[in-house]
Amino acid sequence: EKGGSQARGKIVMATVKGDVHDIGKNIVGVVLGCNSYEVIDLGVMVKCDDILNTAVEQNCDLIGLSGLITPSLDEMVNVAKEMERRGIDLPLLIGGATTSKQHTAVKIAPKYSHAAVHVHDASRAVGVVSTLLDSKRSPEFVRNNVELQEQLRYVYEGRKSQPLLPYTDAVENRLRIEWSEDDVAQPEFSGLRTVDDISLAEIEKYIDWTFFFSAWELKGKYPKILESAKYGEAARELFANGQELLAKIIAEKQLTPKGVYGFWPAASAGDDIIVYTDDSRTSERLRFNMLRQQSIIADGKPNRSLADFIAPADSGFRDHIGAFAVTSGAEATDLADAFAKDLDDYNSIMVKALADRLAEAFAECLHARARRDWGYGADESLSQSDLIREKYRGIRPAFGYPACPDHTEKGKLFDLLDAKSVGIELTESYAMIPGASVSGLYFGHPKARYFTVGRIDRDQVADYAARKQMDLDSAERWLAPCLGYDPDA
C-alpha cells in the first residue's frame, strides 16, 4: 500500500541455511508487524534462492537475514554476493547474536553495492526500516552507513595488522601445568550414560533468568532488573508471564528433556586431545583438534589451548575428558508452532525463550552431576549465584565458542556421544536440532579456565588443517571469524 508519507513496506525475513535459531528474528517480525509492515517470514534453514525468489516475486522492499552460529555469517556473505549477481537492489538487513556492525562492514557490505545495514535489535528495526523506505531520509542514512562501514574496515585492518606470534613460539609459550595425582581426578565410570531421570522441575532450579530477559532485549541482571527504573515494569510483566507458562509446561510435561554424557580416558599430544577407546589406552577412538592463542599476550602470560588442560600422553598421568549433549525437548517447536497458528506470537516466542533457558539449565544441572561422578565435586555446596558465577572446579566449553571456535569438531563430539540416540542432530552448518540444545566437553583440572583463542595466523591454520586432514580452503572457511589474515591475499 504505497503512496504518501504513511506508506509502509513489505519485508522478507529468514534465518539462513544451516541455522535454526529464530527468537530474535521472530521478535523483529512481531515489532514490524505491529507497526503496519507486511512481514513474510520464511522461517529457519532457508536457502539463498528461496529468500531472493520470494523477495522478487512478492515485490518486497527489504530483505532481512538472521543467524546465530558463526557459519551463518558466511551464508549471509553468500546471499549478498548473489543479490549483487542478480542485480537485486533492495536494502539488506543483517541481525542475530553473532552478527555485528564490524562483520557486516568488513565481509558483507563490500560484496553488495547497495545498503547492507546491521540491525542490533528489534527496538531499532522499525526506525531503520522506516528510514530506508523514506525517499527523503534514506539517502543521508545510507551515506552515513557507508561512512561508518569504511571507518570500521579501517579499524579492522589496523587490528589485523597487529603482529601475531609464530605458531611454534605460541606452542612454546603454552600453559605448563605441574601435574599431580590430586588434580587428575578419576571418574567413577567411563563410557556413555543416557540421562532420562532429571525432571523439568529439577532443571528449573538451575535457570539463569538474566538471559531470559536479554532474549527479549531487556538489559540487566536478574533479579535486579525487576526493580530497574527503565525496564522494571516490562521485566516484571514478562517474568510473570514466563513463570506462568513455565509452570504449565512443567505440570503438563509438555517438554521431554533428554541428555547423554560420559567420560573417556584421554591424553594431550601437542594441540590435540586424544580420546582412547578404553582404559587400556592402546587404541585411539578420535582426536579433538584444538586451536591455540597466537596474540602477543602481556606480562608473559601463556598462549593457551584447551589441550593444555589434559595431561600429556608421556606424563605418566591417566587423565580423562568428559562430554555431554542435552536438549530441553524436541516438542518446543511444535508448541511454538501451535501458538503461532492461533496468532499468539507472544507465547510462540515465549516457549522458545523458555526452552532455551531450560536447555542451559539442564547443562548446568548435568555438569553438577558430572562433577560428583568425577569425584572432585562430591562435597560441593553451591548456591544458585555461585553456579552462575561458575565458582566450581572445571569448565564445559562448547564448540563454536571462543575457546574452541571451530563448529566442525561438533561432528566428532556427536559421534562420541551417539547424540542421535537422544534425538539431537546437527545441520550441515553444525547447528544443533532441536534448537534448544547444548553440547560440549568437560575438563576437570583445577587450572582449567575459559579463554578466547582470538586471531590466528596462516601457519597455525595450515597445521590445524593437516591435523584435521582437511584442505586449507575448507579450514579457512570454517575459521573465517578467527583469521588474522586475508586468505585471498
Side-chain angles (χ1 to χ4, degrees), residues 175-178 183 304 309 393-395 444-450:
L175 176 68
R176 295 176 188 274
I177 287 175
E178 282 188 35
D183 293 340
R304 287 176 290 186
F309 305 137
R393 170 175 155 179
I395 56 173
H445 196 277
K447 281 211 161 70
R449 295 287 181 277
Y450 295 105

Side-chain angles (χ1 to χ4, degrees), residues 78-126:
N78 181 40
V79 175
K81 281 182 182 166
E82 187 59 13
M83 287 173 74
E84 186 72 12
R85 192 187 72 76
R86 292 193 191 187
I88 296 172
D89 63 354
L90 303 176
L92 177 61
L93 305 184
I94 302 292
T98 49
T99 65
S100 65
K101 280 195 180 333
Q102 181 178 300
H103 179 269
T104 306
V106 172
K107 302 286 188 193
I108 299 174
K111 302 287 188 276
Y112 185 53
S113 51
H114 302 280
V117 183
H118 181 255
V119 183
H120 188 263
D121 55 39
S123 62
R124 296 181 203 174
V126 174

Side-chain angles (χ1 to χ4, degrees), residues 440-471:
L441 297 172
Y442 292 139
F443 291 81
H445 196 277
K447 281 211 161 70
R449 295 287 181 277
Y450 295 105
F451 60 89
T452 298
V453 165
R455 292 183 313 124
I456 55 177
D457 218 338
R458 200 185 296 261
D459 54 354
Q460 176 164 197
V461 177
D463 180 90
Y464 183 74
R467 286 188 278 134
K468 272 178 77 81
Q469 298 172 327
M470 182 186 252
D471 66 85

Side-chain angles (χ1 to χ4, degrees), residues 237-268:
E237 186 187 342
L238 187 70
F239 191 49
N241 293 340
Q243 293 277 26
E244 189 183 338
L245 183 56
L246 181 59
K248 185 178 184 335
I249 288 169
I250 292 171
E252 296 178 12
K253 296 193 165 84
Q254 292 180 337
L255 294 176
T256 316
K258 289 183 175 178
V260 64
Y261 77 119
F263 304 99
W264 289 265
S268 62

